[in-house]
Amino acid sequence: MNDTPGWASPGSAPSDGREPDASGPAGSDGRPGPEQSADRPRQSGDAPREPGVKWSKDQPPAAQWSAPTGTPGAGGPGQAPWGSGWGGPPPAAKPGVIPLRPLGVGELLDGAVSTMRTYWRTVLGISLTLAVLTEIAAVLLQGFVLDDANTEVLDDPSATLGELTDVMGDLLLSSAALYGITLIGTVAATALLTTVTSRAVLGRPVTTGEAWRDARPQVLKLFGLILLLGLIAVGIAAVGALPGILVSVSAGAEVGFGLTLLGLLAAAVFAAWLMVRLSLASPALMLEKQGIVTAMRRSARLVRGSWWRVFGIQLLAAIIAYVVAAIIVIPFTFLAAAFSGDGVTGFLNTAGGDIGWTFLIISGIGSVIGSMITFPITAGVTVLLYIDQRIRREALDLELARAAGVQGPGATGGS
């Protein structure tokens, strides 16, 4: 593992001390010494023996013995030297929120929730602060900018092309601004929660200030990484749509439309494959203190051969986060509509209803609560998935066990 970067500070190497009685006078290990020649004639009453082995004279009656129940010092007091009797290897050490061994899907999700539950002051404090700041910026933008767009033009059959173009341009600009605000909040939350989750794996708490001091040097790089990934996705979509656009100009709109749709579909598949392959670049950049390009290459190496597993886990986490957010946000949306000018009926019968300050504030409260819960889930699963892939490929559990101060037969478990 010397040729791979590591983020856990390795502790002292396991002791090289010998086992008790490994050295000493002949005969102390149960083998015959010079004075106990193996070819000594058997005396009456001697127990049967094999060459080189000295058997005790006090043997238990036949069929009346059982497997050992515990040996102090071999896995802990009262713990059998191989876990439970002769049942297998010792269980993996668990200094923090996950056991130090390859993880299952349920353990990854449980680790993210356990981090939020165990270090709730830090985790929810970070999530709440960033969610409030992000939502305030989004509400102000929607209230002062987005609300000025005359969306009624979209429903007017007599609207001119210039009017439609102006409205669509305003909506596109506002949507891009909202996405940028959300992106900044997501980047900051991911940076801070990555540090908290990595410490939680070792069972070490971390304050918000400590998390910020550790993450601050990499925040701009993380923002650049996420922005670069977004530009790559847009570029792939543009390349996929370009042949259809060119055909539309030369051969006609009908042929070009079908080719454009086919190109966008192929581009979407390729973009999804690439984004999953690069999905572990964020924790690699934050924890290994890598550059943007190096972190992307690192993610590609970790995901290679496990694409479907990484894709399934990331998709499941996203679905869970979306469902949790919807359960919280939808009631606040209807409550906001009830207190707005048009009421719930008017909100449902029109394209968004009256988006006034009352609606924006009440629905914003629901968005803050939803983000406060979903930020730790998505960030935590991504970090733990990164750690799991390194355990499977690089035996990171050994380094983590040393960093956590865990020694002994139960320090690792089946990596």
Side-chain angles (χ1 to χ4, degrees):
M1 207 165 63
N2 294 332
D3 58 343
T4 59
W7 56 271
S9 300
S12 59
S15 173
D16 292 331
R18 299 178 180 179
E19 293 293 329
D21 297 333
S23 62
S28 63
D29 59 352
R31 299 180 183 275
E35 74 280 7
Q36 297 172 322
S37 175
D39 58 351
R40 178 179 63 85
R42 288 184 56 192
Q43 304 295 329
S44 60
D46 282 354
R49 62 183 182 178
E50 296 178 5
V53 178
K54 180 179 178 180
W55 295 88
S56 173
K57 296 180 180 181
D58 301 324
Q59 296 293 322
Q64 294 186 15
W65 63 278
S66 59
T69 58
T71 303
Q79 181 181 344
W82 292 104
S84 177
W86 306 104
K94 189 179 180 182
V97 294
I98 59 170
L100 300 183
R101 56 168 172 76
L103 303 174
V105 178
E107 290 171 322
L108 289 167
L109 297 173
D110 180 70
V113 175
S114 296
T115 301
M116 182 168 55
R117 184 176 63 247
T118 305
Y119 306 102
W120 63 271
R121 288 185 178 88
T122 302
V123 172
L124 296 184
I126 291 172
S127 301
L128 178 61
T129 301
L130 294 174
V132 168
L133 294 177
T134 302
E135 196 60 34
I136 287 176
V139 167
L140 293 177
L141 179 66
Q142 288 178 299
F144 288 110
V145 179
L146 183 60
D147 194 48
D148 292 338
N150 186 15
T151 55
E152 295 179 357
V153 174
L154 300 176
D155 297 328
D156 186 3
S158 61
T160 64
L161 180 61
E163 292 174 338
L164 293 174
T165 302
D166 291 340
V167 172
M168 292 299 295
D170 292 340
L171 292 177
L172 183 61
L173 181 62
S174 299
S175 300
L178 286 174
Y179 176 77
I181 292 173
T182 304
L183 178 63
I184 293 174
T186 303
V187 167
T190 301
L192 296 176
L193 294 174
T194 295
T195 301
V196 175
T197 305
S198 65
R199 298 286 186 89
V201 170
L202 301 176
R204 297 175 181 172
V206 58
T207 64
T208 304
E210 292 172 341
W212 170 245
R213 284 192 296 271
D214 186 71
R216 182 174 54 188
Q218 298 294 106
V219 169
L220 290 179
K221 292 182 180 180
L222 181 62
F223 181 79
L225 171 66
I226 295 180
L227 185 61
L228 178 59
L229 293 178
L231 292 176
I232 290 174
V234 172
I236 293 173
V239 171
L242 183 60
I245 295 175
L246 296 177
V247 170
S248 297
V249 175
S250 59
E254 295 182 357
V255 178
F257 177 77
L259 186 58
T260 301
L261 187 62
L262 184 61
L264 287 175
L265 181 60
V269 172
F270 179 74
W273 173 84
L274 185 60
M275 291 302 106
V276 172
R277 192 176 176 96
L278 301 177
S279 61
L280 302 184
S282 172
L285 183 142
M286 293 302 303
L287 298 178
E288 299 179 14
K289 311 302 180 185
Q290 301 282 3
I292 295 176
V293 176
T294 305
M296 293 169 67
R297 292 174 179 170
R298 186 87 168 104
S299 174
R301 286 196 298 268
L302 290 174
V303 176
R304 185 184 298 123
S306 303
W307 190 93
W308 284 107
R309 180 175 183 272
V310 174
F311 169 74
I313 294 174
Q314 296 271 28
L315 179 62
L316 178 60
I319 292 175
I320 293 175
Y322 178 81
V323 170
V324 171
I327 292 174
I328 297 172
V329 171
I330 289 177
F332 277 90
T333 302
F334 279 95
L335 183 64
F339 283 95
S340 63
D342 295 335
V344 177
T345 304
F347 177 79
L348 294 176
N349 291 336
T350 60
D354 182 18
I355 304 180
W357 286 106
T358 302
F359 180 89
L360 291 175
I361 292 173
I362 296 178
S363 61
I365 294 174
S367 298
V368 166
I369 298 175
S371 299
M372 183 179 65
I373 297 176
T374 57
F375 274 161
I377 294 177
T378 54
V381 169
T382 301
V383 175
L384 295 178
L385 185 57
Y386 157 84
I387 294 174
D388 175 61
Q389 288 298 111
R390 287 197 60 187
I391 288 176
R392 292 172 182 271
R393 293 179 178 272
E394 303 169 0
L396 182 66
D397 49 340
L398 302 177
E399 186 178 350
L400 294 179
R402 288 194 297 267
V406 179
Q407 301 293 340
T412 58
S415 66

